[in-house]
């Protein structure tokens, strides 16, 4: 049995999930992630699979996020203190859902017959950028407020996905680095490899110029 504890100055150690009853209390727990408002997301191994819970450090109370027969684990939190989590349906099918603590509800981000992987979240609105590995590789965005998703890019190899400081997304689609802005779409920057972010959504692309490595600078403010 592995337990989790939270240390608070003036109080000392507090056991996480102690309010869940004797059955869950005797199961193995593991830290998963912390939300921006200090709630603790943790997994519980029930003997066959991992279930997902959240613990409120302010009240000492726990809630179940997901406890199906599949493995569930947290992928990331967003600026709205939602929890994006993965449901391992099979070795070739990983679905994504999002948990809203304020309403204690779960919404599906993606339940395709593919491996869906979170690539990042937008800091302004909490929307989720995720990769969907189907016959082609699809980079998609999930709109939290609309509870819907749409495609950013589809290719045979979508890699180097980076959510930038201004909430633009830089990505490599079959060798071409592009910049995506929510509401206006994608712009191809250069053939090459993403080579680092500057400030305000600017970034650098490394370009092969007849065997030499050149650097191309993308200025997001002038597009």
């Amino acid at each position: 049995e592995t337990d989790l504890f939270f240390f608070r100055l003036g109080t000392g150690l507090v056991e996480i999930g102690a309010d869940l009853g004797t059955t869950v209390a005797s199961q193995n727990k593991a830290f998963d992630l912390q939300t921006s408002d200090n709630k603790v997301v943790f997994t519980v191994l029930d003997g066959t699979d991992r279930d997902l819970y959240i613990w409120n450090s302010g009240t000492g109370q726990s809630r179940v996020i997901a406890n199906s027969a599949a493995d569930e684990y947290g992928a990331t939190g967003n600026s709205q203190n939602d929890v994006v989590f993965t449901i391992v349906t099979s070795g070739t099918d990983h679905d994504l859902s999002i948990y809203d603590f304020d309403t204690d509800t779960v919404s599906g981000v993606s339940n395709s017959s593919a491996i869906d992987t979170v690539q990042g979240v937008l800091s302004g609105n909490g929307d989720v950028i995720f990769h969907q590995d189907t016959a082609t590789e699809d980079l998609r965005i999930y709109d939290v407020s609309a509870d819907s998703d749409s495609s950013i890019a589809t290719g045979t190899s979508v890699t180097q996905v980076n959510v930038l400081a201004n909430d633009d997304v830089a990505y490599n689609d079959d060798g071409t680095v592009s910049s995506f802005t929510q509401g206006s779409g994608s712009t191809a920057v250069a053939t090459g490899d993403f080579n680092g972010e500057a400030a305000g959504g600017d970034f650098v692309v490394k370009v092969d110029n007849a065997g030499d490595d050149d650097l191309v600078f993308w200025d997001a403010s002038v597009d």
Side-chain angles (χ1 to χ4, degrees):
E1 178 184 337
T2 302
D3 295 325
L4 284 176
F5 290 88
F6 180 89
F7 179 79
R8 180 182 288 115
L9 287 174
T11 303
L13 289 175
V14 178
E15 184 176 354
I16 294 173
D19 58 311
L20 291 170
T22 55
T23 299
V24 176
S26 64
Q27 294 170 342
N28 291 329
K29 303 170 192 66
F31 175 82
D32 214 67
L33 61 92
Q34 178 181 335
T35 65
S36 58
D37 62 347
N38 296 318
K39 295 181 178 69
V40 177
V41 180
F42 62 101
T43 60
V44 176
L45 181 61
D46 66 7
T48 57
D49 61 82
R50 289 182 297 177
D51 300 326
L52 195 63
Y53 291 81
I54 188 167
W55 181 76
N56 188 340
S57 61
T59 64
Q61 298 299 303
S62 305
R63 292 182 191 170
V64 60
I65 294 177
N67 60 351
S68 72
D71 277 330
E72 292 106 359
Y73 60 89
T76 188
N78 68 9
S79 55
Q80 278 66 45
N81 298 310
D82 301 328
V83 178
V84 185
F85 64 97
T86 300
I87 305 167
V88 183
T89 303
S90 72
T92 58
D93 187 357
H94 294 187
D95 298 330
L96 294 175
S97 290
I98 189 167
Y99 172 75
D100 184 328
F101 185 87
D102 293 335
T103 61
D104 194 24
T105 56
V106 170
S107 301
V109 174
S110 176
N111 62 351
S112 68
S113 299
I115 293 181
D116 299 314
T117 309
V118 175
Q119 301 295 307
V121 294
L122 305 189
S123 60
N125 54 24
D127 290 352
V128 182
I129 307 298
F130 67 98
H131 181 262
Q132 191 173 90
D133 188 3
T134 56
T136 58
E137 295 187 3
D138 198 2
L139 186 65
R140 305 184 68 82
I141 181 169
Y142 172 78
D143 186 322
V144 174
S145 61
D147 188 24
S148 63
D149 69 294
S150 58
S151 178
I152 295 175
T154 302
T156 57
S157 179
V158 180
T159 60
Q160 300 175 336
V161 180
N162 292 269
V163 177
L164 306 175
N166 66 341
D167 276 347
D168 286 354
V169 181
Y171 62 93
N172 190 312
D173 186 2
D174 295 342
T176 298
V177 177
S178 296
S179 176
F180 169 81
T181 301
Q182 192 172 26
S184 56
S186 294
T187 302
V189 176
T191 300
D193 295 298
F194 181 85
N195 202 56
E197 179 182 0
D202 301 340
F203 60 88
V204 176
V205 180
K206 183 175 73 173
V207 177
D208 183 357
N209 182 12
D212 294 329
D213 287 336
D214 293 345
L215 293 177
V216 173
F217 183 78
W218 170 254
D219 187 340
S221 62
V222 296
D223 211 25

